[in-house]
Amino acid sequence: MKTIAIIGGGAAGMMAAGFAASAPETAVTLFEQNPRTGAKLRITGKGRCNITNDTSPAQCMENVVSNPRFLFAAFHRFTPADTILFFEDRGLPLKTERGRRVFPQSDNAGDVVAVLTRHAEMANIDHRKVVDVDKTKEGFVLTLQDRSQRVFNCLLLATGGMSYPKTGSRGDGYGFAQKLGHTVISPKASLVPLYCKEKDCSRMTGLSLKNVTLTVADEKGKKPVYFERGEMLFTHVGISGPLVLSASALLRDKSLPKTVYIDLKPALTPEVINQRILKDFESNLNRDFTNSLSGLLPKAMIPVVVERSGIFPRKKVNTITREERKTVCSLLKAFSLTVTGLGS
Ligand SMILES: Cc1cc2nc3c(=O)[nH]c(=O)nc-3n(C[C@H](O)[C@H](O)[C@H](O)COP(=O)(O)OP(=O)(O)OC[C@H]3O[C@@H](n4cnc5c(N)ncnc54)[C@H](O)[C@@H]3O)c2cc1C
């Protein structure tokens, strides 16, 4: 009989526990420090849990931003189709939404945890924290929170990363792995907000931009680090939202500062924007410049764009020159910010 210890009752640990326990001649113990399994899973996908994407393994790999080859075996040995079958076979009806994202029909991440917990219950679940690990000639020695010790033939670390430490993942596994002789590189934050130098951001805190493009420029002449269309928002120290979180994954290993450009009107060419500005101006020639942009910009952005344009806010629109209009167009097509750091 092979004895296996798994530390961590999250998605990875529960999946591994169930499959290991169903193999012949194994006795599996899953250690989870929280009173309930899957604490982080319960908050995923805004409480709905985006279980997988209904795509091929190759498409999955295309969407992994760094070192996709590392996941080649995992994606091919247990494909998105296998994941869908796994949950449906265990009585959880699923649905596929925009972007081929798969969710439980109940929109309840708790139902996903319930399926995984039932699967993991094929093993013995021990709700104690593992405080130390050691490798001796008897095997892997685990010291538990009450100082008792257990010895196992095999050990699997499934303690998660370091994000959302309140859910229990505080990085214990890195220390355990290091102690057992593995090389651990310092974890870097990914999918995080970005800090920006400009004070403009705090003036627009909470403003959400939909259907814009975000470009992260690299050195001159090089392909941009990131270019995508979607949603983002301003925070008091910089920018956040789906586009920004994705971009942050690509900035982890880049030197900062970097300039990012927001195209507020990606569907319109500068010429079309110029025509629209002219039309708006002509509808009321005596209007002040600062009062003429509401058709083109969200309210919170107007004072910032006016200031950046260098045009006197009270200037009458009938006196605004072609060059000045060009400046406004440039600001709408490439509103720039300087990223100075990654948030946490
Ligand atoms: C806000 C948010 C939303 C997300 N949304 C999605 C989504 O929709 N779809 C998706 O696929 N992914 C999503 N993710 C990512 C997903 O949550 C993680 O990839 C996943 O939880 C990782 O699973 P894991 O088992 O490796 O680690 P975790 O889920 O972090 O589990 C690790 C477990 O180990 C336990 N543990 C740690 N140390 C010890 C110890 N010393 N002794 C005993 N137990 C210990 C912890 O208590 C914890 O329960 C989201 C993440 C966040 C933060």
Side-chain angles (χ1 to χ4, degrees):
M1 178 74 70
K2 190 177 266 179
T3 54
I4 303 172
I6 298 173
I7 311 179
M14 288 194 280
M15 205 66 172
F19 284 122
S22 58
E25 301 290 305
T26 55
V28 182
T29 306
L30 173 67
F31 292 96
E32 169 52 54
Q33 63 189 342
N34 292 329
R36 292 201 300 172
T37 48
K40 186 174 281 172
L41 270 181
R42 289 171 204 275
I43 59 165
T44 57
K46 296 189 178 150
R48 301 199 302 137
C49 187
N50 176 193
I51 295 176
T52 185
N53 276 48
D54 189 7
T55 51
S56 66
Q59 281 167 312
C60 289
M61 292 199 34
E62 277 166 25
N63 285 288
V64 177
V65 290
S66 57
N67 196 11
R69 292 213 58 84
F70 177 72
L71 289 167
F72 182 89
F75 280 145
H76 284 82
R77 289 182 65 178
F78 200 82
T79 65
D82 294 329
T83 307
I84 291 168
L85 257 183
F86 174 87
F87 285 99
E88 287 184 338
D89 278 355
R90 285 161 180 78
L92 186 69
L94 305 179
K95 59 177 173 178
T96 303
E97 295 190 359
R98 183 174 49 83
R100 308 212 59 76
R101 294 170 307 154
V102 178
F103 292 91
Q105 275 183 25
S106 62
D107 283 330
N108 182 359
D111 293 342
V112 177
V113 178
V115 168
L116 285 170
T117 305
R118 277 201 305 277
H119 177 65
E121 278 165 356
M122 287 199 276
N124 167 40
I125 304 183
D126 186 330
H127 284 281
R128 280 182 291 177
K129 181 180 167 83
V130 178
V131 293
D132 193 23
V133 297
D134 213 347
K135 177 110 195 273
T136 65
K137 53 182 187 318
E138 279 75 41
F140 291 95
V141 182
L142 271 54
T143 307
L144 307 177
Q145 61 193 59
D146 53 15
R147 308 314 297 178
S148 64
Q149 291 193 320
R150 300 270 314 269
V151 185
F152 295 87
N153 302 129
C154 306
L155 170 64
L156 189 115
L157 297 177
T159 45
M162 291 176 82
S163 66
Y164 285 71
K166 272 191 192 150
T167 62
S169 2
R170 300 186 188 91
D172 292 6
Y174 300 124
F176 295 156
Q178 215 155 14
K179 186 158 182 214
L180 295 171
H182 291 281
T183 306
V184 176
I185 51 170
S186 304
K188 289 185 187 166
S190 187
L191 304 181
V192 288
L194 298 174
Y195 296 130
C196 296
K197 188 175 88 183
E198 291 78 6
K199 297 277 174 279
D200 292 344
C201 294
S202 69
R203 295 167 68 190
M204 299 184 281
T205 303
L207 171 65
S208 163
L209 301 174
K210 292 201 169 71
N211 207 10
V212 295
T213 64
L214 183 74
T215 306
V216 183
D218 206 339
E219 285 146 43
K220 262 210 170 98
K222 280 198 180 169
K223 207 172 125 216
V225 176
Y226 178 83
F227 173 79
E228 202 58 68
R229 189 165 172 157
E231 280 178 45
M232 58 169 287
L233 59 92
F234 291 98
T235 69
H236 65 293
V237 286
I239 48 177
S240 187
L243 277 181
V244 174
L245 299 184
S246 302
S248 74
L250 294 159
L251 284 172
R252 281 184 309 179
D253 301 316
K254 297 277 177 191
S255 62
L256 295 176
K258 284 259 177 292
T259 310
V260 301
Y261 297 98
I262 305 165
D263 183 345
L264 295 152
K265 302 284 169 201
L268 306 182
T269 61
E271 294 69 39
V272 174
I273 295 177
N274 185 35
Q275 289 307 317
R276 273 202 44 190
I277 295 176
L278 264 179
K279 212 169 127 207
D280 287 356
F281 283 3
E282 277 160 11
S283 69
N284 192 343
L285 291 169
N286 277 323
R287 217 176 344 185
D288 293 342
F289 172 56
T290 193
N291 295 329
S292 67
L293 297 170
S294 55
L296 276 171
L297 281 170
K299 205 170 152 203
M301 260 194 120
I302 294 175
V304 176
V305 168
V306 169
E307 199 174 293
R308 284 195 181 196
S309 74
I311 303 169
F312 179 57
R314 298 260 163 257
K315 188 168 183 177
K316 298 295 173 203
V317 293
N318 59 356
T319 62
I320 288 188
T321 64
R322 178 203 289 254
E323 274 313 301
E324 286 173 328
R325 278 201 317 272
K326 225 170 147 184
T327 307
V328 178
C329 280
S330 309
L331 285 166
L332 296 183
K333 290 301 283 176
F335 185 90
S336 67
L337 291 166
T338 317
V339 174
T340 51
L342 274 69
S344 54

